[in-house]
């Protein structure tokens, strides 16, 4: 079946603009995660959704970052008033609720803030 | 905060040889330790995990060893192939409530020489 998909694959924006990144998880996966990967670095956890429960926002770096998950499926990560330090690859992953160890990652969105 | 890190940033091995990738962790309360593989331009891919109450687990051509005494995790890949060239990340999942995202190390780049 289809894996996790993300769009756009690349996004170039100017400092101060808002951006929206989209994630389509694997069908049937109720857990969804967003991570950020800076150049040459490991992954930094941002936010976690489980079904219709309130998301775990403990990893969001500032209040300019927010995320939504509509209908328990598609998720959107929004970054307001982008800064150059927001440049990174944003990765989305999903998993079955009962197995949060095996996370399936999408290809990521490469965000460049000029 | 807690951290997960790697000893070597780059490892070069001959095709057909065995490779060992090491990782040090500091959070003794983690439930699971996981290895992910990331090929260029792709999201990380789950390889194998080990629960904190185990010290060894084997998969197909891979073995993960956990030494809780010295807080050390390793991934052994047998008979390396060109397709094994990638960045390998160790990750941990904490126990109990709180964030369900994984904490990743910085990664080791494995290069397979022909």
């Amino acid at each position: 079946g289809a894996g996790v998909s993300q769009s756009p694959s690349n996004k170039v924006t100017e400092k101060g603009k808002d951006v929206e990144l989209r994630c389509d998880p694997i069908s049937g996966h109720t857990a969804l995660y967003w991570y950020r990967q800076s150049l040459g670095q490991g992954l930094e956890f941002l936010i976690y959704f489980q079904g219709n429960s309130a998301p775990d926002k403990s990893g969001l770096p500032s209040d300019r970052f927010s995320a939504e998950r509509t209908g328990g499926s598609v998720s959107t990560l929004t970054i307001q008033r982008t800064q150059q330090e927001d440049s990174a690859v944003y990765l989305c992953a999903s998993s079955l609720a009962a197995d949060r160890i095996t996370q399936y990652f999408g290809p990521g969105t490469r965000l460049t803030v000029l | 905060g807690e951290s997960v890190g790697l000893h070597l940033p780059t490892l070069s091995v001959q095709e057909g040889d065995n490779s060992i990738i090491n990782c040090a962790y500091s959070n003794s309360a983690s439930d699971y330790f996981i290895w992910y593989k990331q090929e260029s331009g792709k999201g990380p891919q789950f390889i194998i995990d080990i629960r904190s109450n185990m010290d060894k687990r084997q998969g197909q051509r891979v073995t993960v060893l956990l030494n809780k005494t010295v807080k050390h995790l390793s991934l052994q890949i047998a008979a390396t192939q060109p397709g094994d060239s990638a960045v390998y990340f160790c990750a941990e999942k904490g126990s109990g409530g709180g964030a369900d995202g994984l904490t990743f190390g910085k990664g080791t780049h494995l290069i397979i020489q022909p």
Side-chain angles (χ1 to χ4, degrees):
Chain A
V4 176
S5 61
Q6 293 185 245
S7 61
S9 55
N10 281 284
K11 176 71 177 179
V12 180
T13 190
E14 293 180 345
K15 177 182 174 182
K17 300 284 188 182
D18 297 351
V19 294
E20 282 190 354
L21 313 179
R22 177 187 167 105
C23 172
D24 280 276
I26 293 173
S27 178
H29 283 191
T30 58
L32 186 147
Y33 316 77
W34 283 98
Y35 293 86
R36 178 170 69 175
Q37 185 174 29
S38 300
L39 185 63
Q41 299 294 310
L43 281 71
E44 174 190 4
F45 167 72
L46 297 178
I47 190 169
Y48 160 70
F49 293 90
Q50 172 54 53
N52 295 320
S53 303
D56 174 2
K57 305 179 182 179
S58 60
L60 293 178
S62 78
D63 58 8
R64 295 186 296 105
F65 288 73
S66 63
E68 291 184 338
R69 191 177 184 192
T70 55
S73 182
V74 172
S75 177
T76 302
L77 177 69
T78 301
I79 308 173
Q80 296 177 309
R81 304 181 302 281
T82 52
Q83 304 294 313
Q84 288 183 331
E85 59 264 29
D86 298 335
S87 295
V89 176
Y90 289 81
L91 290 155
C92 174
S94 69
S95 70
L96 293 169
D99 178 13
R100 292 189 288 249
I101 303 302
T102 311
Q103 298 183 15
Y104 295 84
F105 283 82
T109 294
R110 181 174 297 278
L111 175 66
T112 303
V113 182
L114 301 176
Chain B
E2 302 291 348
S3 67
V4 178
L6 296 174
H7 293 309
L8 298 173
T10 303
L11 177 64
S12 183
V13 299
Q14 292 289 328
E15 182 178 351
D17 287 353
N18 299 332
S19 65
I20 300 176
I21 302 170
N22 296 302
C23 177
Y25 66 91
S26 57
N27 184 359
S28 302
S30 293
D31 262 356
Y32 285 89
F33 299 90
I34 311 105
W35 283 98
Y36 278 83
K37 171 187 179 182
Q38 186 175 28
E39 296 174 275
S40 181
K42 297 183 179 179
Q45 178 184 7
F46 173 87
I47 301 173
I48 191 169
D49 65 60
I50 186 168
R51 193 162 185 173
S52 59
N53 62 355
M54 300 171 64
D55 53 22
K56 181 178 181 179
R57 189 174 186 203
Q58 288 186 296
Q60 187 175 17
R61 282 201 307 119
V62 295
T63 301
V64 58
L65 300 177
L66 176 63
N67 185 331
K68 293 181 287 293
T69 301
V70 295
K71 298 182 182 177
H72 185 266
L73 184 72
S74 69
L75 176 71
Q76 300 178 2
I77 304 174
T80 53
Q81 304 168 359
D84 294 330
S85 291
V87 176
Y88 290 81
F89 293 96
C90 62
E92 60 173 333
K93 182 184 179 305
S95 60
D100 282 279
L102 301 176
T103 301
F104 282 80
K106 292 190 183 302
T108 291
H109 188 192
L110 178 65
I111 299 171
I112 309 301
Q113 303 281 3

